[in-house]
Amino acid sequence: ATIMADGKFVRDFRTDIFHDGPPISVDDRGRLRVQNSRPSVGTFQAQWVHFDLQGNRLDSLLPPEAVKAKTWDAKIPGGAMSMNVPFAPQNAYAFFDDGSVVYAGQDRYQFFVTRDGIDTTRIFGRSDVAAEAIPTALRDSMIDRYSTQTALQGVFNANDVPKTYGLWNELAVDGSGDTWVSRGRKEAGTLRFDVFDPGGQHLGAVAPPFDTFWRTSWTGNQVAVV
């Protein structure tokens, strides 16, 4: 991790980064957050670790789960592998400037806010969002693709693959504390961004100018998109 001020190098310190989880950020308390692995919990288990800006480790937090994500777990030569079941609901996370986390599972249109991964400070969402069916040809093609993978023999099960998409796609929090939720499909013309204020009130839905929150950076009332 490299600390800079006004474009000038201040210091750096070593951290381990695991996978491609939520982006590195600094909260209002001056804590730098990174994601790395926690082998003591599980080979593929991630955790968030907080450092101060001097590089001192402060604490860690296991991402809370709103849904138990379905995976195919297999042994392979030299180790093990875990693969997410295609289209199966996953957990997703976004961070407020005060360090609290909003998270949810894609099987429900309900979102939870926590300060420490254990407490729940508020719950919000909608009850009128319906799941969209996965086109049969697309689902069948994914089943054909994974059923022939040698590493998955013995753990693959076609019945694990859902027939509907998750109720939402991605989460983001802007610099004003509003939560943005992507739902629907671009290819079907149903893609929308739902916006909730910091208290969880639904402000409305907007037509999206881009189709994914992947590699976006939100600040104030603006978002930068790669």
Side-chain angles (χ1 to χ4, degrees), residues 76-92:
I76 58 176
M81 64 172 286
S82 181
M83 179 178 294
N84 292 331
V85 172
F87 308 118
Q90 303 293 317
N91 294 286

Side-chain angles (χ1 to χ4, degrees), residues 78-217:
M81 64 172 286
S82 181
M83 179 178 294
N84 292 331
V85 172
F87 308 118
Q90 303 293 317
N91 294 286
Y93 309 90
F95 297 84
F96 294 95
D97 286 342
D98 65 1
S100 58
V101 184
V102 55
Y103 70 99
Q106 293 167 327
D107 60 332
R108 290 184 292 169
Y109 209 86
Q110 187 175 51
F111 306 93
F112 305 89
V113 179
T114 179
R115 293 169 298 186
D116 56 12
I118 300 174
D119 67 358
T120 300
T121 60
R122 60 186 177 278
I123 302 173
F124 62 93
R126 296 180 59 183
S127 59
D128 57 347
V129 176
E132 297 185 29
I134 299 171
T136 301
L138 176 59
R139 182 176 182 271
D140 288 346
S141 70
M142 296 299 287
I143 290 174
D144 290 341
R145 173 184 173 185
Y146 287 100
S147 64
T148 58
Q149 293 193 16
T150 303
L152 295 179
Q153 298 304 308
V155 297
F156 170 83
N157 185 343
N159 292 327
D160 289 341
V161 182
K163 296 182 179 180
T164 58
Y165 291 107
L167 290 175
W168 54 275
N169 310 314
E170 296 175 280
L171 287 173
V173 173
D174 65 22
S176 300
D178 293 333
T179 299
W180 296 68
V181 182
S182 164
R183 62 176 171 88
R185 322 306 303 175
K186 178 182 178 181
E187 61 273 17
T190 57
L191 186 63
R192 294 291 184 272
F193 292 171
D194 275 331
V195 188
F196 297 86
D197 71 13
Q201 180 180 352
H202 184 230
L203 300 179
V206 297
F210 53 91
D211 61 356
T212 180
F213 293 171
W214 174 242
R215 291 183 178 176
T216 59
S217 179

